[in-house]
Amino acid sequence: MEFFFFTDVYADRYLIDYYIVSFKLLDESMISTKEWEGRKYITDIKDWEAFKESAYDIVLYEFGDEVERFNDIETALRTAYRMAYTEASRRVPKSTLPSIGIGSPPIDVIKRVFPVSFEFETFPKDLDLFLDRIVKETEEEITRSEFNDDDEIPF
């Protein structure tokens, strides 16, 4: 069965989603999967070394076109993230972070192969308070931007 990882990167809010690493596994016992929309996605890798040895037919794609074939999944992921990170850096973002979720490698794998160290914001303890703060800050930003219209003639 063929598997794949999306090696997507966020440059601030812009998603760099050009790269995919596809591969097959000799033994699927070292992974946990979840089926979603008729496809199996890897959600956890129980044994990284066994996973690396089991992975074969590893291909890096950019915009659906084959870029390179690899013998080692770790090198393929490292290369894909380096390419995505380089592309993201061209936008001169304040932050560049890997995307996580269905289709992405598990977070512990991303930490092994991502070109720079990174931290995610911790999930808020009080979600209601967090969302209220976002709404209040967003209203302020919108209100302020409405009054800062360069095309508008001040009276």
Side-chain angles (χ1 to χ4, degrees):
M1 171 177 216
E2 185 174 34
F3 292 96
F4 57 91
F5 284 133
F6 298 121
T7 53
D8 300 348
V9 171
Y10 279 99
D12 292 330
R13 291 184 178 177
Y14 185 83
L15 181 64
I16 307 295
D17 60 351
Y18 315 154
Y19 306 98
I20 297 173
V21 174
S22 75
F23 56 95
K24 295 177 183 164
L25 293 173
L26 294 171
D27 180 11
E28 296 180 23
S29 67
M30 83 290 299
I31 62 170
S32 298
T33 61
K34 179 177 184 164
E35 190 166 327
W36 189 59
E37 294 187 357
R39 294 199 56 114
K40 278 189 177 180
Y41 293 90
I42 296 174
T43 57
D44 187 37
I45 299 174
K46 301 170 190 171
D47 183 346
W48 177 247
E49 293 304 318
F51 176 80
K52 284 184 2 178
E53 289 177 19
S54 180
Y56 71 99
D57 196 17
I58 307 161
V59 182
L60 169 60
Y61 293 95
E62 178 182 29
F63 291 114
D65 296 328
E66 184 177 316
V67 173
E68 190 173 347
R69 291 185 169 269
F70 294 87
N71 292 323
D72 177 46
I73 187 81
E74 189 168 349
T75 304
L77 290 170
R78 188 171 278 115
T79 301
Y81 275 116
R82 185 175 27 81
M83 292 172 75
Y85 186 85
T86 301
E87 183 64 31
S89 67
R90 291 184 180 133
R91 297 183 166 280
V92 192
K94 292 178 184 174
S95 71
T96 303
L97 294 171
S99 173
I100 57 172
I102 293 180
S104 298
I107 190 73
D108 57 318
V109 173
I110 296 173
K111 286 186 177 191
R112 288 178 183 268
V113 298
F114 201 71
V116 297
S117 62
F118 61 90
E119 292 291 325
F120 290 115
E121 289 183 38
T122 56
F123 196 79
K125 291 180 183 174
D126 185 345
L127 187 58
D128 290 331
L129 180 65
F130 175 76
L131 293 173
D132 285 343
R133 192 180 79 227
I134 287 176
V135 168
K136 288 176 184 173
E137 288 174 5
T138 303
E139 287 177 6
E140 285 180 28
E141 288 176 18
I142 291 171
T143 305
R144 285 186 192 144
S145 67
E146 288 173 358
F147 292 114
N148 295 333
D149 189 357
D150 293 336
D151 296 337
E152 189 173 307
I153 300 170
F155 293 101

